[in-house]
Amino acid sequence: MNPAYIYRTIRFFFVIGVVILSLYAFLYLSKVTYPFIIGLAIAFLINPLVNIMEVKWKIPRALAVLIALVLIFAIFAGLITLLVAEIVSGADYLAKVVPQHLDTLIDFVEQFFAGQIIPLYNQLASLFNNLGTGQQDTIMTNIENVGKQFGSTLGDFIQGFFEKIPNILSWFPNAATVLIFSLLATFFISKDWHRLSGGIFSRMLPSRAKKSGRTVFADLQKALFGFVKAQATLVSITTVIILAGLLILRVDYAITIALVTGLVDIIPYLGTGLIFVPWIIYEAIGGEMSRALGLGILYIIVLVQRQIMEPKILSSSIGLDPLATLIALFAGFKLIGFLGLIAGPVTLVLITTLHKAGVFRDIWMFIKGNEEAD
């Protein structure tokens, strides 16, 4: 066998091994360093704002980082306060109207049992009495088995639920600790961003790797902000459509419902359905068929526009081909579920960025080497 092929095979498996070991090391280290990874991500996101305050406004970088963190948390706190106030207002409204609708629901259930369940029970009882003794015993045995299985399953569920309560309660101190360490990591990473990115890390890499790394970093930064912009655009479109539809249907608290539904729309596929599907069923049971029909049409419009606009907006914001983005969304969803709808485009961005930076070409040249096959 030609030695060139042997060396190429060895280098190929060497690259595969390095990639696998790197992924394994990253997953292992991320379990104990995730607060600092979160801090790095936050520092990455606020870095443009910090740079503006430092360069244009001549604010010391440490103070600029502190102002950026305070500003971001103030915005989040304001949004949460507004949302809680709207929910309290809506809850007060519901406290007044729900009892009336609950009476309607109870009447519907009573009429359903009186008109459907009881006659059906009488028919089944009559058929059961006409069966032989052996057939009756078999049916009763099966019913008892189903009841025991249902009771066992319900008991296991309740037991598991109460067993998880201490774990849930213990999560809060851990979350507070993670939040503190993440904020401290964000402050120090962002404060020393230029020193870390241009000094320590730069001296550890060769010039070609530094050039490729800068290209990958710039493209990933552009893609990340493009992804956030795309999601904000999609949520805004959904909110406006829902608000317009609810105003046409003359629904009370249309603004609050539209804002909450728009925020819930961040959850892929299930988003608006978590609000609209129970609402439509409730209106139909309550006899408000015209409103249920209107809500159903509005829900369909929201779903259709989301499916049409999402690949297009993502591709234009991130800079990817619409077909490739659609394939990445579907493949990510099939492989890892709802998180795949985010991981799919991110993976596609990473692969595209590495390709543009020539990383794959460099790896192939390393595998190929200088040997020439006969």
Side-chain angles (χ1 to χ4, degrees), residues 17-34 37:
V18 169
V19 172
I20 293 175
L21 288 175
S22 299
L23 291 175
Y24 179 79
F26 174 77
L27 293 175
Y28 176 77
L29 292 175
S30 64
K31 294 179 181 179
V32 295
T33 61
Y34 62 92
I37 296 176

Side-chain angles (χ1 to χ4, degrees), residues 32-171:
V32 295
T33 61
Y34 62 92
F36 305 97
I37 296 176
I38 295 173
L40 177 61
I42 298 175
F44 178 78
L45 291 173
I46 67 173
N47 194 50
L49 177 59
V50 174
N51 289 338
I52 291 175
M53 288 190 287
E54 180 186 19
V55 176
K56 292 187 177 181
W57 300 348
K58 305 302 180 182
I59 299 176
R61 188 167 183 86
L63 182 59
V65 174
L66 186 61
I67 293 174
L69 289 175
V70 171
L71 180 62
I72 290 173
F73 275 91
I75 293 174
F76 274 106
L79 291 175
I80 292 174
T81 303
L82 177 62
L83 182 61
V84 170
E86 291 293 338
I87 291 175
V88 170
S89 178
D92 182 65
Y93 167 76
L94 290 176
K96 297 177 181 178
V97 300
V98 163
Q100 304 173 3
H101 292 290
L102 187 60
D103 292 338
T104 303
L105 179 61
I106 293 174
D107 292 339
F108 173 81
V109 173
E110 290 177 350
Q111 293 176 6
F112 178 77
F113 267 87
Q116 303 293 330
I117 302 300
I118 294 178
L120 179 61
Y121 171 78
N122 292 331
Q123 292 178 7
L124 292 176
S126 177
L127 292 174
F128 180 78
N129 292 328
N130 293 330
L131 295 175
T133 304
Q135 293 174 322
Q136 292 181 358
D137 292 339
T138 301
I139 293 175
M140 293 302 298
T141 301
N142 291 332
I143 292 175
E144 289 177 0
N145 292 334
V146 171
K148 291 179 180 178
Q149 185 176 2
F150 175 77
S152 176
T153 303
L154 181 61
D156 292 340
F157 172 78
I158 294 174
Q159 181 180 359
F161 174 77
F162 283 105
E163 287 177 350
K164 290 179 180 179
I165 290 179
N167 295 331
I168 296 174
L169 295 177
S170 65
W171 177 83

Side-chain angles (χ1 to χ4, degrees), residues 194-204:
H194 298 304
R195 184 175 65 86
L196 294 174
S197 60
I200 298 176
F201 295 151
S202 179
R203 289 192 296 268
M204 296 171 58

Side-chain angles (χ1 to χ4, degrees), residues 298-316:
L298 179 59
Y299 179 48
I300 293 174
I301 292 174
V302 170
L303 282 181
V304 171
Q305 71 84 21
R306 177 81 183 196
Q307 301 307 312
I308 294 175
M309 297 298 293
E310 185 170 15
K312 183 177 180 181
I313 292 178
L314 279 176
S315 62
S316 60

